[in-house]
Amino acid sequence: MANTPQARKRIRRNNRRAEINTARMSRIRSFIKKVETAIESGDKDAAANALKAAQPEMQRGVARGVLHKNTVARKMSRLSKRVSAL
């Protein structure tokens, strides 16, 4: 258990940040899921629009430190490739 005031504060802060980061990741996954369902349905316009909406969310995850830059680049590349293949 934490003995110092700084350690107690760090635990409280970590719990708050974990909650925020979990919500942010869930939101990003929802946007990605919308792109994937549009791809599965074969609707190119819907998939392109969903991808356009997902891109800023994923980049925001990078800016906030939730996701690594290369992870987002890889996911965006793969999604873009699948959408353009429709």
Side-chain angles (χ1 to χ4, degrees):
M1 186 61 201
N3 289 326
T4 64
Q6 293 92 340
R8 290 191 184 107
K9 183 176 179 181
R10 178 65 74 169
I11 289 169
R12 288 196 310 270
R13 191 197 66 104
N14 287 348
N15 290 338
R16 280 197 307 267
R17 294 309 307 170
E19 193 173 317
I20 291 166
N21 289 340
T22 303
R24 190 167 282 132
M25 277 303 299
S26 176
R27 182 175 164 85
I28 291 169
R29 282 193 208 101
S30 296
F31 274 87
I32 293 172
K33 182 73 77 174
K34 286 178 189 172
V35 177
E36 290 176 346
T37 53
I39 290 170
E40 293 296 321
S41 69
D43 189 359
K44 185 166 184 158
D45 290 335
N49 289 336
L51 182 65
K52 200 168 193 170
Q55 187 172 8
E57 286 297 324
M58 293 169 76
Q59 292 298 331
R60 201 167 292 124
V62 172
R64 302 290 192 263
V66 178
L67 288 167
H68 193 271
K69 177 178 63 170
N70 291 349
T71 303
V72 170
R74 182 183 67 241
K75 288 179 183 283
M76 280 303 301
S77 174
R78 289 178 181 173
L79 285 174
S80 300
K81 186 175 168 185
R82 287 173 64 193
V83 168
S84 64
L86 286 177

